[in-house]
RNA sequence: GGGCCGGUAGCUCAACUGGCAGAGCAGCGGACUUUUAAUCCGCGGGUUGUGGGUUCGAUUCCCACCCGGCCUACCA
């Protein structure tokens, strides 16, 4: 006992500064009172006849036949209490469920003094309640439920954020996304749009004969992109594994296997910097279509994104910061060569000398080093001078081979590959090629990557001999495509930071413990006790339509 | 990694040149029978991110650290 007390005291002294605030203590006191009344603050079931939206829809439908009388049929709605306006002998309250909000109208003379007072005493913002009553329209015109009975469904111990400003602290919004979601309509909207977008993309591919597949997240060898991987250890196999940076090489193995069209939407992981457009853990959709080339894929890309916008937004005009993006096809197409000529005056097919390209890039103010290799300088020029200006949808195509070790060369110019990228709103959204299916050329490219790797390029791809072996069995001519789902969601929701479209973005863990467990320890007796859980009769006070 | 900015009540924010740490919302008590950020009266609520330093006195100035944001670098 003494030892326990001493231990607890030590823990208390070590822990951080958190203590329960007055509002939490207030609500815990109410919870205690509920238990003392024999009321379960967290009953397992509820009764709902209508969602908030359905209730409002019902009243609109029958309103004309009612005259000024309330709907004679009683309904039951449920939801979180998001507003309480206490006017003395009447109370207005709004509850919200997943469909929307509906107003409750509580009258003392209808509910009875006791139940009416109980609502005032024990129902707080954030609680979930169930309410029975009759639909009617208030004097100010809002469809509401005239409440004849109510019941607590879930007692909230934390108050909501500011009812007017919501929660705006970015760190708290990311760390406690549940609070952000319950407080901010816009945050909820973003993830609905994202879900609708994803559904539309899947439907587009499903309807065109694509097979959705799943390939390994844990890979013995990473590939398909240039990036540092996250490394882990697989104890059962006693081997190092990597979280995938891409699923590309697995999906193309499936084309060797005989599937004509496959796709996968999955998380990829790249152990690199975090900024407004990059998350180390992000979602990518890749598809591969046999007997197609990159121009076919370009067409499909345009159709697919248009389809997704129509399905999830209902429009092709998208607000984006100061701009309005028009997704109406056809989208602009220009070669990388023309794009660079247009924005930098450099024709990379003419300037094929490393030193000269470096000098030209520096003259433009590009941040490149004398050691930056020719293709990387081009990439830098693209990022710095071209991409930010590509606000309206633009396909940039035909890239130098050195930047694209998995793409097929153009027959008419082997310095280039059949590759395109899609830019919208200054975002690099998608990347695609006519896939390289020549096993010997693929091996040569891998070997070139291996040389870069030895020269210190940590992101150069490792040689994947099994993939070369797969190609030796024959891969059909294929068009492949990858699109960043998070970035597409940013575009569709007009969000400039990728973390705004990721539900739980990673942040550095706060070093101190919060102390919450210690603070709540004295209240653990308020948790459901066995005798209250098993077979206890429902309380009269808290019963439906009680009093 | 570098630069700049920020962290104050549950939430949103003030606090001048270093001088009693405040407001609105939320909470608690009271009034009010059609409100919509209801209104009105009253009350409580703070380790000013953490740790040092300077000072009679620090939210304020200095140093270090923690967490976050923006820019930059890195990053196909």
């Amino acid at each position: 006992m003494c030892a326990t007390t001493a231990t607890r005291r030590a823990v208390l002294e070590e822990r951080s500064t958190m203590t329960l605030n007055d509002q939490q203590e207030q609500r815990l006191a109410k919870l205690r009172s509920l238990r003392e009344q024999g009321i379960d603050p967290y009953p397992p079931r509820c009764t709902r006849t209508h969602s908030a939206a359905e209730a409002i829809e019902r009243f609109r439908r029958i309103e004309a036949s009612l005259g000024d009388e309330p709907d004679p049929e009683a309904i039951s709605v449920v939801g979180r209490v998001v507003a309480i306006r206490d006017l003395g002998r009447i109370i207005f309250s709004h509850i919200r469920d997943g469909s929307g909000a509906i107003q409750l109208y509580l009258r003392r003379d209808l509910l009875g003094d006791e139940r009416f007072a109980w609502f005032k005493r024990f129902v707080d913002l954030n609680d979930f309640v169930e309410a029975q009553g009759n639909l009617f329209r208030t004097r100010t015109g809002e469809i509401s439920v005239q409440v004849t009975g109510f019941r607590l469904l879930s007692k909230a111990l934390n108050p909501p954020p500011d009812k007017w400003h919501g929660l705006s602290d970015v760190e708290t919004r990311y760390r406690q996304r549940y609070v952000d979601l319950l407080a901010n309509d816009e945050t909820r909207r973003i993830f609905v749009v994202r879900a609708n977008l994803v559904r539309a993309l899947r439907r587009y591919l499903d309807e065109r004969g694509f097979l959705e597949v799943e390939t390994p997240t844990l890979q013995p060898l990473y590939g398909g992109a240039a990036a540092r991987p996250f490394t882990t250890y697989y104890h059962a196999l006693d081997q190092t594994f990597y979280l995938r940076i891409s699923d590309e090489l697995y999906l193309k193995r499936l084309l060797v296997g005989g599937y004509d069209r496959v796709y996968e939407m999955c998380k990829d992981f790249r152990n690199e910097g975090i900024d407004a457009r990059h998350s180390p853990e992000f979602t990518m959709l890749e598809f591969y279509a046999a007997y197609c080339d990159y121009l076919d894929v370009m067409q499909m890309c345009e159709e697919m994104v248009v389809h997704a916008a129509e399905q999830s937004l209902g429009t092709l005009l998208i607000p984006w910061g100061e701009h309005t993006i028009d997704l109406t096809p056809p989208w602009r197409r220009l070669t990388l060569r023309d794009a660079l000529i247009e924005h930098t005056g450099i024709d990379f097919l003419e300037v094929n000398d490393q030193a000269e390209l470096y000098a030209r890039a520096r003259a433009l103010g590009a941040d490149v080093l004398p050691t930056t290799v020719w293709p990387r300088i081009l990439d830098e020029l693209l990022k710095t001078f071209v991409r930010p200006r590509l606000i309206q949808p633009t396909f940039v195509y035909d890239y130098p081979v050195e930047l694209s070790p998995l793409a097929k060369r153009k027959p008419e110019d082997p310095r280039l590959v059949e590759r395109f990228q899609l830019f919208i709103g200054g975002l690099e959204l998608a990347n695609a090629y006519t896939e390289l299916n020549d096993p010997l050329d693929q091996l040569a490219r891998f070997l070139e990557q291996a040389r870069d790797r030895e020269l210190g390029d940590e992101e150069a791809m490792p040689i994947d001999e099994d993939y070369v072996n797969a190609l030796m069995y024959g891969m059909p001519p294929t068009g492949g495509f990858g699109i960043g789902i998070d970035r597409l969601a940013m575009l569709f929701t007009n969000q400039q930071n990728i973390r705004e479209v990721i539900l739980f973005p990673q942040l550095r863990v706060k070093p101190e413990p919060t102390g919450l467990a210690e603070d709540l320890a004295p209240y653990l007796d308020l948790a459901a006790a066995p005798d209250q859980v098993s077979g206890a009769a429902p309380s009269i006070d808290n019963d439906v339509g009680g009093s």
Side-chain angles (χ1 to χ4, degrees):
Chain A
M1 185 91 163
C2 279
T4 313
T5 310
T7 305
R8 171 173 288 181
R9 188 165 298 142
V11 170
L12 284 170
E13 278 164 9
E14 273 177 24
R15 75 173 201 202
S16 78
T17 63
M18 177 163 179
T19 51
L20 296 179
N21 64 54
D22 56 339
Q23 304 200 45
Q24 291 171 320
E25 295 200 349
Q26 202 61 245
R27 285 163 182 251
L28 282 160
K30 291 179 184 181
L31 186 70
R32 182 173 298 286
S33 176
L34 291 171
R35 287 294 189 198
E36 285 165 4
Q37 295 170 57
I39 294 167
D40 183 357
Y42 304 101
R45 273 167 282 283
C46 60
T47 304
R48 155 152 90 163
T49 62
H50 295 75
S51 70
E54 287 165 353
I56 287 167
E57 172 55 28
R58 168 185 167 81
F59 188 78
R60 288 219 173 94
R61 218 170 44 237
I62 63 173
E63 186 171 19
S65 64
L66 293 175
D68 281 341
E69 294 300 307
D71 178 3
E73 190 176 318
I75 62 156
S76 178
V77 291
V78 298
R80 180 192 295 278
V81 176
V82 294
I84 299 174
R85 291 179 293 280
D86 179 354
L87 276 70
R89 293 192 180 83
I90 60 172
I91 299 170
F92 292 96
S93 175
H94 274 95
I95 62 172
R96 192 179 72 211
D97 65 15
S99 73
I102 189 165
Q103 183 168 258
L104 303 183
Y105 174 65
L106 299 93
R107 295 172 55 139
R108 191 169 74 174
D109 55 7
L110 263 172
L111 264 173
D113 291 358
E114 210 173 299
R115 289 301 286 160
F116 191 78
W118 197 94
F119 186 96
K120 285 195 191 192
R121 180 76 193 89
F122 292 108
V123 177
D124 291 313
L125 296 179
N126 267 356
D127 291 354
F128 284 83
V129 298
E130 169 185 315
Q132 290 74 40
N134 306 84
L135 289 162
F136 78 114
R137 203 180 272 277
T138 62
R139 202 173 288 171
T140 51
E142 179 162 353
I143 296 168
S144 307
V145 178
Q146 184 169 274
V147 176
T148 54
F150 67 88
R151 193 167 69 114
L152 188 64
L153 293 180
S154 180
K155 185 70 200 160
L157 299 179
N158 280 325
D162 190 283
K163 71 177 171 188
W164 192 240
H165 303 96
L167 177 68
S168 61
D169 180 74
V170 174
E171 186 176 353
T172 310
R173 289 184 46 238
Y174 293 161
R175 287 191 194 278
Q176 302 180 45
R177 184 67 94 181
Y178 42 92
V179 186
D180 185 27
L181 287 164
L182 77 86
N184 297 322
D185 294 343
E186 171 64 6
T187 307
R188 282 199 307 282
R189 186 192 73 85
I190 286 170
F191 294 100
V192 171
V193 170
R194 180 174 173 139
N196 290 338
L197 157 67
V198 164
R199 185 182 308 125
L201 294 173
R202 278 213 165 85
R203 180 175 305 165
Y204 178 89
L205 293 169
D206 290 342
E207 285 173 353
R208 281 159 186 79
F210 282 84
L211 186 71
E212 182 170 9
V213 298
E214 293 177 275
T215 66
T217 302
L218 289 170
Q219 302 179 349
L221 193 61
Y222 58 94
R228 276 175 58 191
F230 286 92
T231 305
T232 188
Y233 197 76
Y234 204 146
H235 289 287
L237 299 181
D238 196 25
Q239 279 178 6
T240 296
F241 270 69
Y242 307 94
L243 273 65
R244 65 177 154 214
I245 59 173
S246 165
D247 52 357
E248 171 161 353
L249 299 183
Y250 282 95
L251 291 175
K252 288 196 283 197
R253 283 175 171 96
L254 295 177
L255 275 95
V256 171
Y259 296 119
D260 281 352
R261 295 185 155 204
V262 297
Y263 78 92
E264 180 171 27
M265 196 176 321
C266 64
K267 286 281 182 71
D268 289 345
F269 306 85
R270 298 184 184 176
N271 205 342
E272 289 167 353
I274 302 174
D275 65 29
R277 296 187 186 82
H278 295 85
S279 170
E281 173 178 346
F282 64 102
T283 304
M284 178 93 99
L285 167 65
E286 297 199 23
F287 73 68
Y288 293 83
Y291 317 116
C292 292
D293 67 9
Y294 76 139
L295 294 176
D296 300 320
V297 169
M298 205 182 281
Q299 188 61 37
M300 292 170 71
C301 168
E302 192 175 286
E303 281 178 19
M304 185 169 74
V305 173
V306 165
H307 171 82
E310 284 169 342
Q311 295 293 308
S312 62
L313 299 172
T315 176
L316 296 182
L317 294 176
I318 299 182
W320 180 250
E322 307 294 302
H323 305 94
T324 298
I325 289 167
D326 185 355
L327 295 181
T328 306
W331 297 345
R332 188 179 182 205
R333 300 180 177 197
L334 77 165
T335 61
L336 177 62
R337 183 187 180 195
D338 289 342
L340 287 172
I341 291 173
E342 181 177 322
H343 291 102
T344 69
I346 297 174
D347 180 349
F348 69 78
L349 292 185
E350 302 294 316
V351 187
N352 45 26
D353 175 66
Q354 164 88 29
E356 187 185 350
L357 185 63
Y358 169 74
R360 296 282 298 272
R362 284 304 293 243
L364 287 165
D367 193 5
V368 289
L369 301 169
T371 55
T372 309
V373 293
W374 186 85
R376 296 274 174 217
I377 296 176
L378 288 184
D379 202 39
E380 183 64 29
L381 292 172
L382 174 63
K383 281 185 204 165
T384 308
F385 299 107
V386 183
R387 187 182 68 195
R389 296 180 189 161
L390 299 180
I391 303 301
Q392 298 303 324
T394 307
F395 290 115
V396 175
Y397 64 101
D398 289 356
Y399 284 64
V401 63
E402 292 89 341
L403 282 172
S404 318
L406 302 169
K408 181 174 283 195
R409 292 176 205 267
K410 286 182 77 71
E412 58 272 36
D413 187 344
R415 294 173 297 175
L416 300 177
V417 293
E418 297 193 347
R419 171 183 177 188
F420 74 80
Q421 290 190 303
L422 170 64
F423 298 89
I424 308 180
L427 292 174
E428 180 190 320
L429 275 178
N431 188 23
Y433 356 102
T434 303
E435 299 298 336
L436 177 57
N437 60 350
D438 173 343
L440 297 178
D441 194 359
Q442 184 63 75
L443 177 59
R445 306 275 192 96
F446 276 144
L447 291 171
E448 203 169 300
Q449 290 285 307
R451 271 200 302 280
D452 289 350
R453 203 175 172 72
E454 278 176 20
L455 292 174
D457 185 352
E458 274 188 69
E459 301 193 332
M461 290 182 199
I463 300 174
D464 189 336
E465 290 189 346
D466 180 75
Y467 179 67
V468 174
N469 184 51
L471 293 184
M472 288 170 72
Y473 280 91
M475 185 171 93
T478 296
F481 175 81
I483 188 165
I485 298 302
D486 311 275
R487 288 181 181 173
L488 194 56
M490 289 168 67
L491 181 71
F492 279 23
T493 56
N494 192 17
Q495 293 299 317
Q496 311 294 318
N497 194 309
I498 195 168
R499 276 174 286 198
E500 295 294 343
V501 302
I502 293 173
L503 278 168
F504 298 100
Q506 300 290 357
L507 296 181
R508 198 184 292 272
V509 174
K510 291 254 193 182
E512 328 88 38
T514 67
L516 182 64
E518 285 297 321
D519 292 330
L520 286 177
Y523 297 93
L524 287 177
D525 63 304
L526 297 179
D531 60 330
Q532 287 170 304
V533 171
S534 64
S539 125
I540 294 166
D541 277 346
N542 198 28
D543 215 352
V544 174
S547 97

